[in-house]
Amino acid sequence: MNAIDSSTPSELVVVTGASTGIGRATARRLAADGFHVLAGVRTEAAAAEVKAEHVEPVLLDITDERQVAALADRVRGDRRPLRAVVNNAGIAVNAPIEALPLAEWRRQFDVTVFGQVAVIQALMPALLRSKGRVVNIGSTGGKVAMPAFGAYSGAKFAMEAVSDSLRREVEPFGVSVAVIVPGAVRTRLTERGGATSARLAEAMTPEQCTRYAGLMKAFRATTESWGTHGLDAAVVADAVSRAVHARKPRTRYTVGRDAAVMTRLTHLVPDRLLDRMVRRTMGL
């Protein structure tokens, strides 16, 4: 590889799920901060949209072992140290637990848990060499499981545990692990999740449709409100930037008033009372 001149960023950052929303905003912010960003996208069209100064798109489906291995080869072949891996790629599969096919449960966990673990495993050697950091994009769904969010919250709760375990394993070797916990954010993930939910609702039995009609109406109203009142993705990108730059990053960064309130309530409020508060929040 050619020598790096003084105008070239001296450190790499990997951002998965960078096609839109939080991932794209994070890639742009970290490039502006002075890093060379390897931005994971799933299509050539997305790569063309994301490409920018110091933002290098890489084709990356985190459930594809060959593409994850190719990313690790790209990092290993670069003389610059890997400062951080930002695990943002994810999907939202939402439906009542009774009515959600197991294949959809597996798809949710394959992307939001197993795919992220695959990226961490592949890039950990580089992070250990550079004493870098892992930044996992979490959610209030990983703190409070609302009705119809069972699969999504299950995966996000799982990543909370993975993040805690990983932090306790690798911090003695100089690798930090932080979780970003945003509240409602205006992103394409919410739109795609709504479309997925509508598809799943159409596959319910007549009895399930009757049983969960009120819940699915409340779910749609709740997610649509996020598109209107949610945070801009750039606010989350700011928190990621702080986690990447901090000499000793916090274990968690809560972003947004709703995230702060819901996270605190889980420690202060009995389960039955929290159940009522969640249902009231959704208009049930």
Side-chain angles (χ1 to χ4, degrees):
M1 183 175 177
N2 295 330
I4 300 169
D5 64 40
S6 60
S7 65
T8 303
S10 60
E11 293 180 293
L12 298 175
V13 172
V14 170
V15 179
T16 70
S19 298
T20 60
I22 293 172
R24 181 182 289 194
T26 297
R28 290 175 173 171
R29 171 58 193 266
L30 294 177
D33 286 349
F35 297 104
H36 184 81
V37 180
L38 301 179
V41 297
R42 294 190 61 186
T43 66
E44 294 286 358
E49 293 179 3
V50 169
K51 184 176 176 60
E53 185 176 10
H54 303 317
V55 178
E56 176 189 338
V58 293
L59 289 179
L60 181 64
D61 176 345
I62 64 173
T63 67
D64 186 323
E65 293 180 4
R66 291 172 299 178
Q67 291 189 4
V68 173
L71 172 64
D73 288 342
R74 168 67 185 83
V75 171
R76 187 165 45 248
D78 200 303
R79 288 169 51 189
R80 293 168 289 196
L82 180 61
R83 175 63 170 268
V85 175
V86 182
N87 270 310
N88 170 71
I91 59 174
V93 177
N94 301 110
I97 289 171
E98 175 195 357
L100 186 60
L102 285 178
E104 296 291 344
W105 282 88
R106 294 187 179 100
R107 188 166 72 93
Q108 176 72 76
F109 276 72
D110 200 25
V111 176
T112 311
V113 180
F114 307 136
Q116 296 198 18
V117 170
V119 171
I120 291 168
Q121 290 180 337
L123 297 180
M124 185 54 67
L127 290 169
L128 288 166
R129 286 193 299 271
S130 63
K131 297 189 185 301
R133 58 202 55 185
V134 176
V135 181
N136 291 328
I137 305 299
S139 168
T140 52
K143 301 294 186 180
V144 179
M146 298 194 297
F149 287 80
Y152 176 79
S153 284
K156 287 297 187 180
F157 268 79
M159 281 308 298
E160 288 281 337
V162 168
S163 299
D164 282 342
S165 184
L166 180 67
R167 184 181 70 252
R168 291 159 186 159
E169 292 168 358
V170 298
E171 280 200 340
F173 309 112
V175 177
S176 301
V177 179
V179 180
I180 310 297
V181 186
V185 182
R186 299 190 301 273
T187 70
R188 291 274 299 278
L189 176 65
T190 301
E191 296 175 14
R192 291 192 295 266
T196 298
S197 178
R199 172 178 61 79
L200 293 169
E202 290 176 356
M204 290 183 192
T205 66
E207 292 82 3
Q208 290 169 344
C209 286
T210 299
R211 187 154 46 246
Y212 297 117
L215 171 57
M216 297 312 293
K217 180 179 179 181
F219 167 82
R220 288 191 297 272
T222 298
T223 55
E224 287 170 3
S225 73
W226 295 345
T228 303
H229 304 293
L231 295 171
D232 189 277
V235 179
V236 184
D238 290 343
V240 176
S241 176
R242 292 196 296 274
V244 170
H245 281 284
R247 184 182 64 83
K248 187 175 182 180
R250 289 151 46 186
T251 60
R252 282 172 177 78
Y253 293 78
T254 301
V255 184
R257 182 177 180 275
D258 56 339
V261 170
M262 292 302 287
T263 299
R264 186 166 299 179
L265 283 176
T266 61
H267 299 292
L268 300 175
V269 175
D271 286 347
R272 297 297 187 188
L273 177 56
L274 186 58
D275 290 350
R276 292 195 294 272
M277 294 173 70
V278 166
R279 290 180 63 82
R280 189 179 305 118
T281 298
M282 291 186 67
L284 290 166

